[in-house]
Amino acid sequence: RTYGVTRVSGDIKLVATAWDYLLNHWLISSDYEPDTAPGFEISLNKEKALDWSHFDLELAFPVKKMK
């Protein structure tokens, strides 16, 4: 499977901003369209994520080449 991926580092508000960028900016200007699988978030620092103040995540959204 192919995914559009972006990385976000910061507080919880930046996570929504990163999803917005991935879906409303990158995807629209790419040669890809959404695919039929769920998107997901990968935590890169689970040990340090003890509250909502800081996250290091990769956001992944399934895509396929446009026909």
Side-chain angles (χ1 to χ4, degrees), residues 1 3 12 23 25 41-42 52 66:
R1 188 163 305 269
Y3 290 87
I12 192 71
L23 299 174
H25 298 282
E41 299 174 354
I42 302 166
W52 296 100
M66 284 194 262

Side-chain angles (χ1 to χ4, degrees), residues 7-15 43-57:
R7 188 171 182 174
V8 61
S9 181
D11 70 22
I12 192 71
K13 295 174 189 169
L14 293 177
V15 176
S43 178
L44 302 174
N45 71 337
K46 286 191 270 189
E47 312 79 41
K48 296 180 184 176
L50 301 175
D51 60 24
W52 296 100
S53 65
H54 187 81
F55 292 90
D56 287 311
L57 300 172

